[in-house]
Amino acid sequence: MISPGYMQPFVRANQKSPILDLPHDLTYLIFFSCHRDNPQNFSTTIPRGCKQWRKAALAISELWSTINFDKNLKNKQVAEKIQLQLERAQLAPLHIHIFESAIHKPAIKNILKICQLMFPLVQQWGSLSIHGNVPHKALRLLFDRLTNTSVLRLENLAIENNMVMWHQDMAVKWRFKAFGSGMPSLRYFQLSVYRPDRNSHTFDNLIELEIQDPQLLTMKEDKLTTIVRDILIHSPRLRRLVITGPFTPKSWPAINRSRPPPTRDTIAHSAIKCINIVPHREGAVTDALLHLVEMPELEELTSDPSYYILPSSFHTLAHVNSAQYSLHPNSRL
């Protein structure tokens, strides 16, 4: 058996290690690098290194601000661990990730537990991401409770959905109305099947918007053009717009080269750099946008493989940045 006295020289040697005398800012950078590469295991790795490292890590609130709900909250220890992490995050912006594994049966009880943990800190939310096939009833409960809430620091909001379940969700009429009192800092917004209220201020300061909606496959061209036009009107700072459906049609319709040009009033958008609308019949929506919207900063425009630019839209290309402008390889002039 090793006596306690035998280990003392090794303990003293470790306490004098040069790594323990690193400047605080350098220790800060090392910890952040480890946290960025593997945030899941950070809280169980760094604090166990030594007493000094634990003290330094606990003093940096940002290192504890990524909150992953990836385990079933029926386990009391899981909820206690998240509560401890929230306390250590102090006033840092919170980056919240909710996974399907955390909302597994019972879905409603688990989402209510998340609400209980996170709603008191809603003004600290910096980003919120929903991953995987989270049940629709759970999402609806979560966001409906946030209808009259404002979040001043929220910059990224992503609501993903498993493609397999989109067919079942298509019939749902629920509209996304969360944070109706304002999201002034929101820059990135990703939606799947949900319909936001475009008359709200959700889009005012957006930089990137992604909408993945299966109903776009059957929507009339005029209706989708109206949606895109309204988004551009309400999002003067928008730089990237992506609107897609999850499934590709079995066959593309024949190109109609004689369709009439759109007749609506022209608008201008000085910020948009990328528009990606895939898939849609005949590229009619893309043609309409070229004809109806002056986009001097546009650098990338993609559409479905049958895309064909109308001659009536050629003059609109004069407004495009010709040095960087590129069409989808399958687009036709």
Side-chain angles (χ1 to χ4, degrees), residues 15-224:
Q15 290 175 344
K16 297 179 180 179
S17 175
I19 197 171
L20 299 179
D21 295 326
L22 289 175
H24 179 73
D25 54 349
L26 185 55
T27 303
Y28 183 91
L29 293 175
I30 292 173
F31 284 0
F32 257 103
S33 178
C34 297
H35 179 264
R36 182 178 60 250
D37 293 340
N38 195 350
Q40 292 276 62
N41 295 327
F42 172 82
S43 60
T44 59
T45 303
I46 293 296
R48 294 181 180 180
C50 63
K51 184 177 179 179
Q52 286 87 340
W53 279 23
R54 176 179 173 81
K55 182 178 179 180
L58 293 177
I60 305 174
S61 58
E62 291 85 353
L63 296 176
W64 307 93
S65 62
T66 299
I67 311 298
N68 291 305
F69 290 95
D70 56 357
K71 295 181 176 60
N72 198 308
L73 293 173
K74 288 191 299 184
N75 187 331
K76 186 178 179 180
Q77 291 182 342
V78 172
E80 291 176 348
K81 181 179 178 181
I82 291 177
Q83 183 63 58
L84 178 61
Q85 189 174 348
L86 290 171
E87 293 173 1
R88 291 174 175 176
Q90 301 179 50
L91 299 178
L94 300 175
H95 305 287
I96 307 161
H97 299 268
I98 301 176
F99 296 86
E100 176 187 357
S101 54
I103 314 297
H104 199 58
K105 298 178 181 180
I108 296 301
K109 286 187 177 180
N110 282 331
I111 201 67
L112 286 174
K113 184 62 178 179
I114 291 177
C115 294
Q116 180 184 351
L117 287 168
M118 300 309 305
F119 278 21
L121 304 172
V122 68
Q123 295 306 324
Q124 288 182 234
W125 293 10
S127 65
L128 173 62
S129 300
I130 311 293
H131 304 275
N133 185 27
V134 175
H136 179 269
K137 60 182 180 180
L139 289 180
R140 182 170 182 171
L141 188 152
L142 171 67
F143 287 110
D144 282 354
R145 291 190 168 211
L146 293 166
T147 299
N148 297 317
T149 304
S150 64
V151 279
L152 303 180
R153 303 170 76 174
L154 190 67
E155 296 185 359
N156 299 302
L157 176 58
I159 307 172
E160 303 173 3
N161 225 226
N162 190 297
M163 291 184 182
V164 175
M165 295 297 295
W166 272 354
H167 282 306
Q168 299 178 20
D169 289 339
M170 284 175 65
V172 177
K173 302 298 183 181
W174 174 65
R175 285 182 176 271
F176 179 90
K177 293 184 178 181
F179 312 116
S181 297
M183 290 185 286
S185 300
L186 191 64
R187 298 295 181 266
Y188 173 79
F189 193 16
Q190 178 184 348
L191 289 170
S192 54
V193 74
Y194 309 109
R195 309 283 195 278
D197 181 358
R198 290 184 295 276
N199 293 320
S200 71
H201 297 288
T202 301
F203 295 90
D204 289 359
N205 297 310
L206 281 183
I207 303 298
E208 295 187 43
L209 174 62
E210 294 188 27
I211 303 177
Q212 297 175 328
D213 192 334
Q215 290 195 5
L216 298 182
L217 295 174
T218 58
M219 186 178 292
K220 293 182 178 180
E221 290 90 342
D222 287 346
K223 185 176 181 180
L224 181 55

